[in-house]
Amino acid sequence: MKMNKTIKRIALFALLFLLLNEGIKLYFFKVSVQGHTLVKQERRFNAYNGPLEVLFLGHSRVARAIDTSQISGSYVYFSGGESNVNSYYKLKFLLEEDADRITTVVFPIGITSVTLPDPYKFTNSFYWRTYVDYLELASLTGERATYWNIYLKSKVFPYYEHPSMRMMEHFGELRVEKSDSVFKSASVEKRLDLATQIISHQDNFASVYDSTANKYIQKTIDLAKKHGKQLVYVKYPLTPEYLKAVEQYNPDWLIKQNEIDLFLSTNSDVLFFDFQGLFHQEPSYFKDNHHLNATGRAKFTKILKENLQKQLQD
């Protein structure tokens, strides 16, 4: 008799817990995260009914570099700090939903593009759970416990990360470069100092060139080929000071970058454009060390458009 009462109490407690948790999840998704950058970007994309002849995916560097008004049927679907791993899963989701809508896909490549978000610091799994296959990542990285943990939490307790504060937590230092007029007039030493600050605080990435993320280059190529899409990889402009700052923290970055460049430049399934050093003599084109300003965006988009048209016509 006592055992039956105990079982009933446990069952009642479990039921109340599940109902409470579902209520919290409902409030979390319907209210709490509606103002989050990722959710707003997703909402904006879902509301877009125009053509997707050229879909740009990736991080904020892409958004700052592309003027979609210059490229017919183009759209930039980005998120801050988005890695090629995240972009791969986002593209996979979009192609499975409506592959016919997309013609050409442009991915960023280069520094901080071939990366794996640090699972202990910056996952935003409440959002990425829709796209990312955490169990596949568990297998590819060998960190089964870590990614199973993220997977289960994202399904059962998606609110556990308190995501509304994550971007400011990890990218607050970007504020020092928010005025491109200040950046344009800064000395080389000052620009290098600013770049060093950015690199030292950009700790959402475990490494600049991650071995697991590197595997996703081929996975992305295979995905695009499977769906008959033209895949383009672009190295976006950076200042020479940014490259120097990267070298201070990752001395072997150039070796890894050159390996990837060689692989892409000799791969017949992709188009590859290296514009990393395009504006090394033009600091006035940058908002900060790794984002273009309005002038740089207009100049760069024109150059990229011309190169894309030439290669796609050939």
Side-chain angles (χ1 to χ4, degrees):
M1 200 67 177
K2 287 183 178 180
M3 182 65 72
N4 287 339
K5 284 184 178 180
T6 301
I7 292 173
K8 286 179 180 179
R9 286 174 181 169
I10 292 173
L12 179 61
F13 174 80
L15 178 61
L16 290 173
F17 175 80
L18 289 173
L19 289 173
L20 177 62
N21 190 54
E22 288 303 309
I24 294 172
K25 284 163 65 176
L26 183 64
Y27 179 83
F28 176 75
F29 284 114
K30 294 292 185 181
V31 180
S32 294
V33 297
Q34 287 305 303
H36 192 280
T37 303
L38 292 172
V39 176
K40 288 193 289 186
Q41 290 283 6
E42 183 178 64
R43 193 161 56 235
R44 194 175 297 123
F45 178 80
N46 290 337
Y48 176 72
N49 295 316
L52 286 174
E53 294 174 22
V54 185
L55 176 62
F56 291 89
L57 294 175
H59 40 58
S60 59
R61 202 176 297 156
V62 179
R64 291 284 186 183
I66 301 300
D67 177 5
T68 54
S69 67
Q70 289 193 45
I71 303 176
S72 177
S74 64
Y75 192 97
V76 177
Y77 193 10
F78 80 103
S79 64
E82 184 170 316
S83 76
N84 71 312
V85 176
N86 297 72
S87 295
Y88 162 81
Y89 285 115
K90 185 185 281 183
L91 177 61
K92 185 171 184 285
F93 178 88
L94 295 176
L95 290 175
E96 289 172 352
E97 288 283 300
D98 188 4
D100 293 338
R101 193 180 176 200
I102 302 168
T103 305
T104 299
V105 184
V106 184
F107 266 54
I109 199 72
I111 298 167
T112 72
S113 296
V114 186
T115 54
L116 194 63
D118 191 325
Y120 302 104
K121 293 176 182 173
F122 197 77
T123 61
N124 276 323
S125 58
F126 83 96
Y127 169 82
W128 287 108
R129 71 180 196 152
T130 303
Y131 306 97
V132 175
D133 185 344
Y134 287 113
L135 303 188
E136 182 177 40
L137 271 174
S139 175
L140 289 173
T141 61
E143 296 186 48
R144 289 177 172 78
T146 299
Y147 284 101
W148 266 96
N149 182 42
I150 294 173
Y151 170 76
L152 292 173
K153 281 183 176 179
S154 72
K155 296 297 183 184
V156 183
F157 308 112
Y159 47 83
Y160 79 98
E161 282 189 298
H162 304 291
S164 61
M165 296 302 294
R166 302 297 287 183
M167 288 297 290
M168 194 56 66
E169 240 177 72
H170 290 279
F171 291 101
E173 289 298 315
L174 287 174
R175 291 177 176 180
V176 299
E177 296 185 21
K178 71 177 182 179
S179 171
D180 56 303
S181 61
V182 173
F183 183 79
K184 283 188 288 188
S185 62
S187 65
V188 172
E189 291 75 18
K190 178 61 176 176
R191 291 201 295 270
L192 179 58
D193 179 58
L194 291 171
T196 303
Q197 287 185 50
I198 294 300
I199 296 297
S200 64
H201 283 83
Q202 207 165 25
D203 61 352
N204 58 310
F205 297 120
S207 66
V208 173
Y209 285 101
D210 182 85
S211 58
T212 299
N214 195 26
K215 297 174 184 176
Y216 278 80
I217 297 175
Q218 186 61 57
K219 285 174 69 67
T220 304
I221 293 171
D222 293 340
L223 177 66
K225 193 173 181 179
K226 174 185 174 183
H227 290 275
K229 307 304 173 185
Q230 176 62 66
L231 179 62
V232 182
Y233 276 102
V234 175
K235 287 171 72 176
Y236 288 86
L238 298 169
T239 66
E241 291 76 28
Y242 188 82
L243 299 181
K244 287 180 182 178
V246 170
E247 188 172 5
Q248 290 177 14
Y249 286 88
N250 299 270
D252 61 342
W253 72 272
L254 189 56
I255 296 172
K256 294 178 180 179
Q257 178 172 271
N258 287 341
E259 290 173 355
I260 294 171
D261 289 357
L262 179 62
F263 171 72
L264 292 175
S265 63
T266 57
N267 194 308
S268 60
D269 292 322
V270 302
L271 294 179
F272 172 58
F273 299 108
D274 183 357
F275 295 118
Q276 188 167 271
L278 180 66
F279 296 146
H280 272 190
Q281 305 302 317
E282 301 289 349
S284 63
Y285 289 175
F286 288 88
K287 177 181 176 61
D288 57 43
N289 276 293
H290 60 140
H291 296 100
L292 295 175
N293 58 23
T295 302
R297 178 166 60 250
K299 297 278 187 183
F300 176 74
T301 303
K302 183 176 184 294
I303 293 170
L304 177 60
K305 179 183 177 181
E306 290 171 352
N307 279 268
L308 274 174
Q309 287 178 334
K310 183 177 183 299
Q311 291 295 322
L312 291 174
Q313 285 170 2
D314 292 345

